[in-house]
Amino acid sequence: MVSRQAPLCGLAAHCLCFLGVILLMDASARPANHSSTRERAVNREENEILPPDHLNGVKLEMDGHLNKDFHQEVFLGKDMDGFDEDAEPRRSRRKLMVIFSKVDVNTDRRISAKEMQRWIMEKTAEHFQEAVKENKMHFRAVDPDGDVLPAKCPHRPVLLGRVSWDEYKVKFLVSKGHSEKEVADAIRNHEELKVDEETQEVLENLRDRWYQADNPPADLLLTEDEFLSFLHPEHSRGMLKFMVKEIIRDLDQDGDKQLSLPEFISLPVGTVENQQGQDIDDSWVKDRRREFEELIDSNHDGTVTMEELENYMDPMNEYNALNEAKQMIAIADENQNQHLEPEEVLKYSEFFTGSKLMDYARNVHEEF
């Protein structure tokens, strides 16, 4: 009996091995999922030491591009991952109607601009809380042991929890493939570090941002709160101003420190291969033109000042939240009653969730 089972076990092992190869081949043959949200999640994990280009709930990316996921971020909050392309449609419709019920505070089966404004502020606060949690983890990654600095009494050192620029610089260069020991030794011995031109430029920009996040008295040591401002400038009024200055610097072509419509709808230098590639991207230009004219240029004089851009980008600006609420309602308000109804939210589910949920009319009463 034993002699008969041995070859059978061997055969089973070969079958399992063969099946594993087939599954691996199948997985590698599937098309890549180009969902920007998922790509950002991966990139954030790989480059957690760097301030992210994308900030949840903020209208512009750090490089001046429009945040195309903004409406989903402020409508779904932490539930964004629950509406991916692979999700079962009926379950997604039900989840969307649960969200509808939460937004609809007065339970009249209609979402008003005020209700949507309140919801946008609530979901933005969720993203803030998530950034604070992530910051704690990244702060410890840069300085896992903490810094013990002497207090006024030399016999009682105090754990202050500060990260130095050199500590951050080491971690950053290690993330770029440099040896931690070699970088640390070079910094300690005040030796010149051999880095490529692109990395050096990034380091200089990061150092400028580090200075901005370092509250007086400036000592190049960041507390956990200051480190949060460094990674997430939307949490700090001063850093928000700095981010606005950087965006205007990148887009401002005539040097007047404000943006005209032609400047805003032109891609930053170096982001497209040629002028023809920029000219044919009509939807990109159309989106930016609408954003400039309807939301950013608040006094409609044809130019955007630093103050206007700062107000537009401030995620906790209640006036902006109300404007966004009205805009979001207008996208799906087919019966023009200035409210959103369940059928409209389901029909325009791709705008609110990033996913198309079919059969919205037939299923709305089942899901609500």
Side-chain angles (χ1 to χ4, degrees), residues 12-24:
H14 283 300
C15 289
L16 285 172
C17 185
F18 181 66
L19 178 60
V21 171
I22 290 175
L23 289 172
L24 283 171

Side-chain angles (χ1 to χ4, degrees), residues 209-354:
R209 183 177 298 189
W210 192 274
Y211 270 114
Q212 292 294 323
D214 185 16
N215 291 327
D219 54 7
L220 284 185
L221 298 172
L222 299 191
T223 63
E224 190 173 309
D225 286 343
E226 290 169 338
F227 195 70
L228 176 66
S229 297
F230 173 72
L231 290 183
H232 288 274
E234 77 275 21
H235 284 248
S236 159
R237 175 60 63 182
M239 288 299 291
L240 190 63
K241 287 179 183 291
F242 180 71
M243 182 165 64
V244 166
K245 285 180 181 177
E246 285 190 317
I247 290 173
I248 288 184
R249 180 198 65 195
D250 291 341
L251 301 180
D252 178 22
Q253 296 171 13
D254 59 13
D256 63 355
K257 296 185 179 178
Q258 55 187 9
L259 299 179
S260 64
L261 177 59
E263 288 172 332
F264 189 73
I265 64 176
S266 295
L267 281 168
V269 177
T271 56
V272 290
E273 294 181 1
N274 51 52
Q275 185 64 36
Q276 183 182 7
Q278 178 177 328
D279 293 340
I280 62 175
D281 198 350
D282 293 336
S283 63
W284 194 91
V285 171
K286 181 181 176 182
D287 289 344
R288 289 182 78 86
R289 179 186 295 274
R290 183 175 63 244
E291 204 75 11
F292 184 98
E293 294 176 341
E294 296 180 10
L295 293 176
I296 310 177
D297 182 16
S298 57
N299 63 0
H300 306 293
D301 66 350
T303 60
V304 166
T305 63
M306 286 190 181
E307 183 180 0
E308 285 177 317
L309 188 58
E310 184 183 336
N311 287 333
Y312 165 79
M313 291 185 65
D314 181 1
M316 298 309 290
N317 184 317
E318 292 188 11
Y319 178 75
N320 278 358
L322 182 58
N323 282 338
E324 291 297 339
K326 292 176 180 177
Q327 186 186 57
M328 289 169 70
I329 288 174
I331 291 290
D333 183 21
E334 288 197 336
N335 62 10
Q336 299 295 300
N337 67 351
Q338 283 78 53
H339 288 74
L340 283 182
E341 292 163 6
E343 293 87 349
E344 293 169 334
V345 172
L346 284 170
K347 183 172 183 179
Y348 289 85
S349 62
E350 189 168 16
F351 174 77
F352 293 104
T353 70

